[in-house]
Amino acid sequence: MTRFFALLLGGLWAGSLVGLAEAGLVLATSAAPEEYGIWSFAFLSYGGLGAALSLLGLPWIWRRMPANAAALGAQVAAVLLVFLVGRYYLAQRVFGEQLPLWTGVGLGIHAGLLVGAFLLAMCFALLLRRLLRGRASRLLVLAVAWVACAAVVEFGVRVRAPLAAVPARVATAEPGRPNLVLVVADTLRADALGIYGAPAESSPRIDVFAREGVVFRRAYAQSSWTRPSIATILTGLYPREHGAVRKLDPLPEQVDTLAEFLQRRGYWTAAFVTNINVAPIFNFDQGFGEYHYLAPSFYFGASDSATRLASYKILRLLRERFWKHRIYFRHYYQDAEVVTAAVSRWLSAKPPQPFFLLVHYMDPHDPYFEIPYNGRGIARVANPRPHADQAEEMRRLYAQDVRYFDEHFGALLDQFRSHGLLDNTWFVFTADHGEEFFEHGGWWHGTTLYEEQIHVPLIWRGPALSPGFRSDLALTIDIFPTAVRALGYEPPRELPGLNLLAEAPPAERMVFAEEELEGNQLAMVRLGAEKLILANPGNPRGLEEIELYDLEKDPLERRNLARERPERVGELRAALEAFRVSLSRGAAGGPGQ
């Protein structure tokens, strides 16, 4: 029993040290170092994983001294954890989430990782042997020391340094200037709304709102997953310009956001968000006087930063696939009712005017929940590769979530009306990207640039704006310059977007989008009705490297014309590459004052 206890204790210590090392790495690359909850979660979760992994050493402990059994437990846990965590970060940060094993480079890297993990594990084992010096009585001291360290780490979490004071709620812009409200519905396909062709009962409140404003029928996001897309909306820059492209990328300090632009001109700036991809740890709060991140109740008591740990991802996966199958929104995000209620309280407190308000709803992002909530839903983390037969069920649940969001968006408008703010406020309604339901052999988002993932709703409503429908191409890079023009300011000259409400777009405007997620590296250009998509060779999604579509004749993108029209592919590819080069020259420079 003493040897068994020693084995577990060794794994506990080794795992906890690996956890603290990863926590330090996460915070060193985060935008919010005051977020301390990661330390205790890392210490405890990795300690538990280390103890569990140390059991693999059971067959070899029976003839060992207890001190050597502890060293063995530390060695086994450290080898496996260091290897897994090292591989995770190399794949994420260096290889674009694509680090195959059975290639020359892959084998070399994995072998190097294994050797490095073994050498580090040897250091752990030698350290424990030196501390215990062969005496079983010291195991108890080591166990007490681990408990004491856990208590110290947790105490450090609870007695954290004070956060920076919230600036005084003051707006200094000229009285009478209109407010600006930007509403982003996460993962909302354009064709899920009645105003864009869905059944009339799909979104009655949004449809009424849309008929009071200008509806852009052909609006496109510049990326198909949240972080780069929201960064584009807030900065007016393409993803390769602002730099928030991969999963671990924060929004760089040097880029200028719409909130910063308006804050400098005296607007009070506030935001209500609930997607961890735009949480303060990724620096999306820059320029906001108030940034209300309505955090989910993450599993196992994890904090925002702790969800970036490999251990959290492992534990969440085990929980959702093998433990409990009922799921609830609060573990993923706060839903539309919670977000609208928070904004309503903010409006009741009479914020300074004029203000810029960002409201980011997560409905109808996956999991797709049964409404009313009953614990039933379809979540990607639990079922990453569902059969195509489930597409209709996904669509049904997705439509329910859209309808639920529509109800609470309507309640938000009612609040503005009741406070007398509706007539002096510009509203921009859009989505960061769409969603796929096996139109092209897969589901979810972020892995293709087909229409279902980048065609988004875009609706403007404002003072003295004549309602109507527009069929010219609109892009999410246009939101920043259009909004500041609507408020009476000149947008920064460096912004590539147009003022949608005043300028006639070019007859053949280029639409550009790009993507880098889960090993898929994609770029798209559209000129007129023709759309070219380029994908990296061997991409995990299994996309063809070159695809060409005629959207006028083939709006569902079923027939790839790349082989039939090689000359046109060459022309569009040259235009795409020239455009990418022009963007790269000014990458992450950001607009000026």
Side-chain angles (χ1 to χ4, degrees), residues 348-373:
S348 297
K350 299 189 182 305
Q353 295 187 57
F355 57 74
F356 165 49
L357 174 65
L358 167 66
V359 187
H360 184 180
Y361 290 93
M362 272 294 280
D363 323 71
H365 193 287
D366 99 287
Y368 316 126
F369 292 106
E370 188 86 62
I371 303 291
Y373 295 117

Side-chain angles (χ1 to χ4, degrees), residues 39-77:
W39 293 111
S40 59
F41 189 87
F43 191 85
L44 296 172
S45 64
Y46 272 99
L49 288 172
L53 290 173
S54 71
L55 295 178
L56 296 174
L58 276 175
W60 294 277
I61 68 169
W62 305 117
R63 294 188 178 183
R64 292 174 181 262
M65 296 290 291
N68 291 336
L72 176 65
Q75 193 167 354
V76 171

Side-chain angles (χ1 to χ4, degrees), residues 156-175:
V157 171
R158 302 197 180 280
V159 187
R160 60 184 66 179
L163 301 180
V166 175
R169 287 163 55 99
V170 175
T172 59
E174 303 93 307

Side-chain angles (χ1 to χ4, degrees), residues 43-218:
F43 191 85
L44 296 172
S45 64
Y46 272 99
L49 288 172
L53 290 173
S54 71
L55 295 178
L56 296 174
L58 276 175
W60 294 277
I61 68 169
W62 305 117
R63 294 188 178 183
R64 292 174 181 262
M65 296 290 291
N68 291 336
L72 176 65
Q75 193 167 354
V76 171
V79 165
L80 294 173
L81 289 175
V82 171
F83 176 81
L84 291 173
V85 172
R87 188 193 184 284
Y88 171 75
Y89 277 92
L90 276 177
Q92 289 280 337
R93 295 177 181 272
V94 180
F95 293 94
E97 301 179 72
Q98 191 175 23
L99 182 54
L101 174 61
W102 302 113
T103 65
V105 172
L107 287 171
I109 289 172
H110 284 87
L113 274 174
L114 195 58
V115 170
F118 182 78
L119 292 175
L120 188 59
M122 287 293 294
C123 293
F124 280 20
L126 289 172
L127 178 63
L128 271 183
R129 284 196 185 98
R130 185 172 290 270
L131 287 172
L132 297 174
R133 293 179 183 175
R135 299 179 187 176
S137 59
R138 295 195 178 188
L139 288 171
L140 183 59
V141 175
L142 195 65
V144 171
W146 187 91
V147 173
C149 286
V152 168
V153 170
E154 183 63 23
F155 180 78
V157 171
R158 302 197 180 280
V159 187
R160 60 184 66 179
L163 301 180
V166 175
R169 287 163 55 99
V170 175
T172 59
E174 303 93 307
R177 280 195 181 270
N179 304 307
L180 173 65
V181 178
L182 172 58
V183 176
V184 179
D186 209 295
T187 322
L188 180 62
R189 293 168 58 130
D191 62 7
L193 301 178
I195 201 73
Y196 284 89
E201 66 273 13
S202 300
S203 53
R205 296 301 304 269
I206 295 173
D207 294 351
V208 170
F209 164 79
R211 294 189 185 97
E212 297 172 348
V214 174
V215 179
F216 287 86
R217 296 184 185 276
R218 298 195 299 162

Side-chain angles (χ1 to χ4, degrees), residues 221-258:
Q222 272 55 79
S223 189
S224 64
W225 76 282
T226 297
R227 193 165 316 139
S229 188
I230 296 293
T232 288
I233 291 171
L234 292 180
T235 65
L237 301 172
Y238 286 100
R240 68 178 45 229
E241 291 182 295
H242 58 63
V245 176
R246 295 183 178 182
K247 282 185 178 179
L248 300 180
D249 292 339
L251 185 64
E253 285 285 350
Q254 62 265 36
V255 301
D256 203 41
T257 67
L258 178 57

Side-chain angles (χ1 to χ4, degrees), residues 461-545:
R461 183 193 186 280
L465 181 64
S466 299
F469 292 84
R470 296 269 296 269
S471 296
D472 44 305
L473 288 167
L475 311 180
T476 52
I477 59 166
D478 300 328
I479 291 175
F480 189 147
T482 304
V484 299
R485 280 282 182 88
L487 299 178
Y489 299 109
E490 285 295 317
R493 291 189 301 273
E494 297 89 346
L495 292 182
L498 302 178
N499 176 10
L500 292 173
L501 301 180
E503 299 176 35
E508 281 201 351
R509 187 181 188 189
M510 177 184 286
V511 179
F512 173 70
E514 58 187 332
E515 192 65 70
E516 187 170 349
L517 185 70
E518 299 181 354
N520 302 285
Q521 299 171 26
L522 314 173
M524 183 219 84
V525 63
R526 172 178 173 170
L527 277 174
E530 292 177 309
K531 176 178 174 180
L532 178 72
I533 306 174
L534 302 179
N536 56 312
N539 60 84
R541 179 59 195 267
L543 304 172
E544 294 187 61
E545 293 179 34

